[in-house]
Structure formats: structure tokens, C-alpha cells
Amino acid sequence: MDDILQLKNVSKTFGEVAALHKINFEVGANEIVGLLGDNGAGKSTLVKIITGYHPPDPGGEIYWKGRKVDHLSVAKARDLGIEVVYQERALADQQSLWRNIFMGRELTNRWGVLDLGGMRNETQKLMNTMMGFTSAAVTPDSVVKTFSGGERQGVAITRALYFQAELIILDEPTMGLSLSETKKCLDFVEGIKKAGKSAIFIDHNIFHVHPVADRIVILDRGTIAGQFKKNQLTVDALIDRLQRLAHTGTLDISPQTAA
Amino acid sequence: MNSAIEAEAKRPQAPAVRRHPLARWARRYALQIGTVGVAFVIWLVFVIAAPTTFLSFNIYNALLVTTPYFAMVAIPLTLVIIAAEIDLSFGSIMAWGMTGFDVVYLNTQNFWLGFVACLLFGLMAGLINGLIVVKVGVPSLVATIGTQFFWAGAVLVVTNAQGIGLTFLQGSILHEGLVGRVGGALPMQFIWMIIIAIIVWFLLNRTQFGAHVFLTGDNVDSARLMGVNVDRVKITCFALVGLAAAFAGFVQSVDLLFFWPTMGQGNFLNTLAAVFLGGTSVFGGTGTIFGTFVASFIINAINPGIVAAGLTQYYTQVIYGFIVVVSIALQALLRRRLS
Ligand SMILES: Nc1ncnc2c1ncn2[C@@H]1O[C@H](COP(=O)(O)OP(=O)(O)OP(=O)(O)O)[C@@H](O)[C@H]1O
Ligand SMILES: [Mg+2]
């Protein structure tokens, strides 16, 4: 079996709200999965179950490379090789850039003492290569609070890519980005594909998702309404189906995963 | 790594501004430098207002003896406040630890066992604070006001509100080691204050735990999303304050050779004032051990300063309260301006 991640029968209820209902979802090795769905469809909730932030309701099962994972936690997911660019970016505003990059995964020497020099140097390297800061006043010790929206996203994306994850999840990474920054972000997603890794890419803009995704999964009010291999549908056909989904509440092709 | 990144790497970068190393250093330690500046100005004011007091050796000797009593608590309390929580129960825990000593010593006649019991009682009280806040979800302000009264009451119940003399400790290794004089001059409690400051500074600035204290206090949701065990961080902070409060209570009692069941109640304002004057943000996420260390001496110099200036001691409380309110108000204003 090729899938690196499988969710089986996963549900998530918040009090009265059923955010996810009996989801079966998988991500293949070196596959980019585009996840589409309306506001409140449950996309971010699905992400947070995969990252161990939310435990699924009893009965749901998570498999990583064919092995069942019990009691997934965020730290455990990161150890497995899952990194995320969260929709809310998950930065600590008053902290320095290097503290944000290494948040929750600080480098230590073999006595468990923080490797401050190492983290500052790595951050400086990342700034020069990946983050594209145009302001020369920014150093690894700069506080993230003063960064622009695009720079903040850059930090979150860089952080997710830095740790050489096997599966990178991007939850609306292009939200609020300029055209050139969006282009860069989409390049990053293609880079993930070329590097042989997998990704889940969430974006409300179909024109962003369609070109980079291998497969598109459509989530609707907590259930998977359908999924397509990219070559099964053109962008126009996809938009058409989505519009009809919004009106009729059903997707007009049955859920399928062509082998 | 990948093509996009490589392409990005080739993009011309804006030239980096080369700052003088001293300027960089000043920027990084702006808060600490500010604290020292404030301390120096206040000291100058005291010297000018009451030269006979503040140019004599005695006042500094007194400051070295009594500042550690509360600074040893203020230093770990800094961690709790950086983690965006508060502990108001440390005063009672000081006496609760001594109650542990009291009970165990009376039953075993072994003051070493009593000392260990004191620390364990403090640690336990701190852990309970942490568990109430984290696992039950009670805001720490309310939870620790509750435990403050609870432990203060428990002390009175167990000791029957009777103080105990500790003259039997005089001359013991414990006495010499905690409150003796190094070279006949430097009080041991000051050495312990430095040791505690170094340990807590190291924890905060050189360990993963410390990094997580900053992250937890800055943005608890982000910290959780990135895998920080926020609950464990907070419980550890409260436990450290409990442990340190019991130790400080023991040091104070051994120095006075008497345990007053109401001990610690008078330490409430000066301890908190030291943390906030030291620049630690009540909103969490920022603060320094160095600031608390220096501010503890400023706070403790206010009382003798007021007396020497010919005012009544009642002003001390007014000024402590004033310092707490003003330093928190400044933080609030600064925060509003930056956001
Ligand atoms: N922690 C929570 N507590 C209660 N309800 C929640 C929580 N998180 C999400 N929900 C609810 O679950 C549903 C799905 O939310 P989710 O954030 O997964 O949607 P989404 O598909 O990511 O939407 P968007 O496109 O707006 O980001 C919503 O009704 C939301 O209100
Ligand atoms: Mg979302």
C-alpha cells in the first residue's frame, strides 16, 4: 500500500456541532491532495485531527504508513514527519524570528541545553534562502509582531518546510498574499512534489488548487462529497460541479478514486 | 532542497545593515539596561535625599540580609507571570512549608527531615495550584487567592496559631549554610538568592522548558498548535514557585530563629512589585530574571529610603501599590501603542 496517511471512519463533534462525520481520507506517497470546501465545511478540523491537535471521536482510526497510530499528539505527529502551515499561522508575536521558526522543536545540544547559536544561524540562512525578506533591518532576533502579512506567512511556510517533513499541510496559505507572494507559495507546493514529499493543500481559490494538486477532495458540511483525479476534470468542469453542489447539496458524480 | 527555494536563493537580497556589535547588544538587552538605569536613578534620589543612610555600609548589609527573603520567590514567580499566569498564594506557602517542618521535626527530632518536609510541602502546594489552574480550568488569579486563604488557614489549624522558637538550629550546618556569613560579612541567603537566580535564569533562557514558558505566555493557542505541552509548562512553573516559597520561608525563619504562623503575609506586595518593576509583562510572553533580581533590591530599599527621608513607614505600602499599578499601566499603554 502506497498511502502514507489514512483516516478511517473519523468523526469530530464539538458539543452540538458535528464538524466531521465518518470521514475516510488518504494521502498517497508523493501526492498533492487539494482540499476544497465551503467555510465551515470542516477542512481545518480535519487538518487538526491529522496533526494530533484534536483527538477524533471514538471509532475513528488514523494510520501512518500502514501503521495504526493511537493517541496522536502534535509532538508525535511532528516526530512522524507531519508539518503544518495553520490557517491561523500559529506564531508568537512578541518572540523573535528564531523562536518562531523553532517553536516546539528547539534545537538542543547533547546535554539538552538550547543551541542558541545554531538556531540563530539556521534562521539567518533561511532568511537568505527561503523567506525573501525585503527589509534589511530584519535579523533572527527581530520580533515577529512587526512583520507584514506576507512575511508572517513566509515564516509559517518556511517553518513547515524546514523540518523535512514527509507530509506538509497548508491551510489557506495564500490568504491575504499579493500576487507575487501567491506565486511563490504555489511554487513551494510544487517544490514539495518534486522533493518527493506529500502535501495537503487547502485554498478557496480553485485556480490555485487545480494546477498543483494531483487529486482534489471536496468536503461538504463534514462529509466528503466527492473526489477527482486532476486529469478527470478541467478547472471549468470543477467550478461547474462546485456551483451545483452549493445549490443542490449533492455532487453530481459519485465519490470515486480512480486507481 | 527544491527548485523554488533555489530560485529564491538566487534573487538579489537587499544589503544587510551592519550594526555595531555594541548597538546590537544594546538592542537585545534594552529591557535589562532600562532596569539598571531606573535602579541607578532611584539610588541617586535616595543618596541625595538621605545621604547619611545611603552612603553608609549598614543599609547595604541590611538589604543583602532581607532582600533574599522575598526575591527568592519573586525570581521563580517571574516564570509564572511570563507564562501569562499569576500566583498570589506564595505568602501562605512560605508558612505552610514551615508547618511541614514543624510537624516532622516534632515527631522525629531530626531537623534535616524537617527541612526536606518543608520543601515537599511547598512543592506539593505549588503542584496543587498548577493542577487547579490547568486541569480544572480555574483562572489562576482566582485559584491562587483561594489557595492563599486555604494554606494560611491550614497553617493556623495545624500550629494552633502558635509560633515556635528555632534556637535549637543555631550553629547547625543548616543554619550556617543558609543564613551564616561568608567571610564574616556576606550573608549566605544572598548567595542562595544568586544561586536561585542562576538556576531559574538557566531554565528560562537555556532550556526547552524555558523556551516553552515564553511561547505559552505569548500565545497559548499557537504554542499548543506547534506541539508545546502547555499544561506541563504551567504546572512546572507553579511547582517551582511553591518549592521556592517554602525554601524562602525556611531561610527567613532560620535567620530569625523563630517561625511565625503569619509569616509571608507581609511579602505579598513587595514580591509582586519586584516582578513587575523588573519589566516582566503582566500579559505574558516577556520578562527577565535579571530585571526581577535588580528590582528586588530597589523595592527593598524603598522602606528604609522613606524612613530616612523622614516620612512614616505607612508610605511604603502606598509606594509599593503605586509601583505595581504604574508598571502594569505602562505595559498596557506600550502594548496598545504597538498593536
Ligand atoms: N474548537 C472548536 N470548537 C467548536 N466548534 C468548532 C471548533 N473548531 C471548529 N468548529 C466548528 O466546526 C465546523 C468546521 O470548522 P472548520 O474550521 O473545520 O471549517 P473550515 O472548513 O476550515 O472553514 P474555513 O474555510 O472558514 O476555514 C464549524 O462549524 C466550526 O464552527
Ligand atoms: Mg479553515
Side-chain angles (χ1 to χ4, degrees):
Chain A
M1 186 168 319
D2 247 342
D3 292 337
I4 60 167
L5 175 78
Q6 276 184 304
L7 303 190
K8 288 187 184 166
N9 202 28
V10 163
S11 303
K12 184 69 197 176
T13 323
F14 297 110
E16 300 281 279
V17 183
L20 292 176
H21 185 65
K22 296 195 170 163
I23 296 283
N24 292 305
F25 176 81
E26 60 287 321
V27 179
N30 197 20
E31 185 185 31
I32 309 291
V33 178
L35 192 57
L36 293 174
D38 218 337
N39 292 118
K43 304 181 295 297
S44 297
T45 305
L46 185 64
V47 167
K48 286 175 184 169
I49 284 178
I50 297 169
T51 64
Y53 183 77
H54 289 314
D57 292 347
E61 294 179 339
I62 302 169
Y63 293 82
W64 179 253
K65 295 182 175 169
R67 280 220 187 139
K68 189 159 183 285
V69 186
D70 293 309
H71 310 294
L72 189 61
S73 68
V74 178
K76 202 163 162 182
R78 295 187 84 182
D79 285 342
L80 290 175
I82 302 172
E83 290 290 336
V84 199
V85 179
Y86 285 105
Q87 189 171 0
E88 48 273 67
R89 300 299 166 249
L91 300 178
D93 273 349
Q94 297 162 275
Q95 309 302 316
S96 62
L97 181 53
W98 68 263
R99 281 185 190 270
N100 274 280
I101 293 284
F102 291 95
M103 189 184 231
R105 279 206 140 185
E106 296 77 11
L107 303 182
T108 54
N109 67 18
R110 68 193 136 118
W111 293 289
V113 179
L114 288 183
D115 179 10
L116 299 181
M119 287 191 277
R120 285 200 174 99
N121 288 341
E122 287 297 300
T123 304
Q124 185 66 57
K125 272 190 228 157
L126 292 171
M127 285 167 60
N128 296 340
T129 54
M130 293 168 73
M131 276 183 267
F133 279 114
T134 42
S135 161
V138 177
T139 72
D141 282 292
S142 298
V143 167
V144 168
K145 184 179 227 156
T146 56
F147 289 10
S148 75
E151 288 170 337
R152 295 167 67 84
Q153 254 119 322
V155 175
I157 292 172
T158 303
R159 180 170 67 185
L161 294 180
Y162 173 76
F163 290 101
Q164 306 280 316
E166 304 241 4
L167 172 63
I168 294 167
I169 305 175
L170 301 113
D171 194 349
E172 303 197 23
T174 63
M175 191 175 54
L177 290 190
S178 70
L179 273 178
S180 68
E181 282 168 332
T182 300
K183 167 80 171 61
K184 216 163 79 189
C185 179
L186 297 179
D187 286 348
F188 276 137
V189 179
E190 282 181 344
I192 294 169
K193 173 83 181 174
K194 283 193 194 120
K197 309 289 171 64
S198 306
I200 301 172
F201 181 41
I202 300 174
D203 202 311
H204 282 291
N205 190 331
I206 293 155
F207 294 100
H208 292 166
V209 178
H210 195 270
V212 293
D214 297 313
R215 180 161 56 97
I216 290 170
V217 176
I218 294 152
L219 209 57
D220 184 46
R221 283 162 293 173
T223 60
I224 289 181
Q227 46 185 309
F228 317 92
K229 291 274 185 182
K230 175 165 62 184
N231 51 22
Q232 286 178 288
L233 279 186
T234 61
V235 180
D236 291 335
L238 180 60
I239 293 172
D240 182 53
R241 306 282 163 103
L242 286 174
Q243 273 167 352
R244 269 188 275 163
L245 170 67
H247 284 127
T248 63
T250 48
L251 206 61
D252 69 349
I253 67 164
S254 54
Q256 58 174 346
T257 3
Chain B
M1 195 175 182
N2 66 49
S3 65
I5 296 163
E6 280 157 20
E8 191 55 43
K10 292 195 190 89
R11 225 180 66 157
Q13 292 291 309
V17 176
R18 280 270 121 237
R19 274 175 206 286
H20 192 275
L22 202 66
R24 274 214 309 268
W25 180 85
R27 259 170 85 97
R28 192 179 293 173
Y29 296 107
L31 205 61
Q32 287 91 325
I33 295 167
T35 306
V36 173
V38 169
F40 184 71
V41 169
I42 291 178
W43 178 76
L44 268 187
V45 169
F46 283 158
V47 168
I48 292 164
T52 41
T53 305
F54 280 90
L55 289 176
S56 86
F57 170 76
N58 286 344
I59 181 73
Y60 299 103
N61 183 47
L63 286 179
L64 289 183
V65 168
T66 57
T67 306
Y69 291 166
F70 68 92
M72 292 193 294
V73 183
I75 288 164
L77 184 64
T78 308
L79 297 188
V80 171
I81 295 173
I82 293 175
E85 297 289 350
I86 188 93
D87 185 344
L88 301 178
S89 69
F90 54 85
S92 304
I93 298 178
M94 290 175 78
W96 175 244
M98 276 309 290
T99 305
F101 172 86
D102 191 11
V103 170
V104 170
Y105 178 74
L106 289 181
N107 286 298
T108 64
Q109 299 299 311
N110 183 331
F111 57 75
W112 287 104
L113 280 181
F115 177 55
V116 171
C118 168
L119 297 181
L120 287 179
F121 270 51
L123 184 66
M124 180 194 74
L127 277 173
I128 290 174
N129 278 338
L131 289 171
I132 294 173
V133 170
V134 165
K135 300 295 179 196
V136 186
V138 182
S140 54
L141 186 76
V142 181
T144 59
I145 286 178
T147 54
Q148 139 84 16
F149 283 108
F150 180 85
W151 296 121
V155 170
L156 296 178
V157 168
V158 176
T159 62
N160 208 12
Q162 299 292 307
I164 54 162
L166 302 170
T167 42
F168 57 87
L169 285 172
Q170 199 161 24
S172 67
I173 308 173
L174 203 52
H175 184 268
E176 289 306 306
L178 292 178
V179 296
R181 297 283 161 136
V182 181
L186 206 57
M188 271 307 288
Q189 55 260 50
F190 176 62
I191 307 284
W192 283 107
M193 175 178 162
I194 292 176
I195 292 172
I196 288 176
I198 290 173
I199 292 173
V200 175
W201 176 88
F202 184 85
L203 284 175
L204 182 62
N205 295 296
R206 290 294 181 275
T207 70
Q208 213 160 20
F209 161 72
H212 292 180
V213 170
F214 281 118
L215 295 171
T216 300
D218 191 301
N219 188 330
V220 74
D221 295 322
S222 295
R224 273 211 187 91
L225 285 170
M226 297 310 290
V228 171
N229 191 336
V230 168
D231 290 0
R232 201 170 60 197
V233 167
K234 289 185 180 178
I235 291 173
T236 308
C237 289
F238 281 107
L240 286 174
V241 171
L243 183 64
F247 182 74
F250 194 85
V251 168
Q252 188 175 336
S253 303
V254 174
D255 201 24
L256 306 176
L257 290 173
F258 200 88
F259 162 47
W260 306 91
T262 54
M263 172 189 63
Q265 304 303 324
N267 285 10
F268 185 74
L269 259 178
N270 53 2
T271 310
L272 286 172
V275 179
F276 291 127
L277 181 65
T280 298
S281 168
V282 73
F283 303 104
T286 56
T288 67
I289 300 306
F290 180 79
T292 302
F293 189 97
V294 173
S296 295
F297 284 99
I298 302 178
I299 291 293
N300 206 24
I302 286 172
N303 189 36
I306 282 169
V307 174
L311 296 168
T312 75
Q313 279 203 26
Y314 302 131
Y315 277 98
T316 307
Q317 189 141 337
V318 173
I319 292 188
Y320 285 170
F322 183 77
I323 286 175
V324 170
V325 173
V326 167
S327 36
I328 291 176
L330 283 177
Q331 291 166 10
L333 288 175
L334 208 66
R335 196 179 162 83
R336 275 221 325 245
R337 252 195 53 195
L338 289 179
S339 61

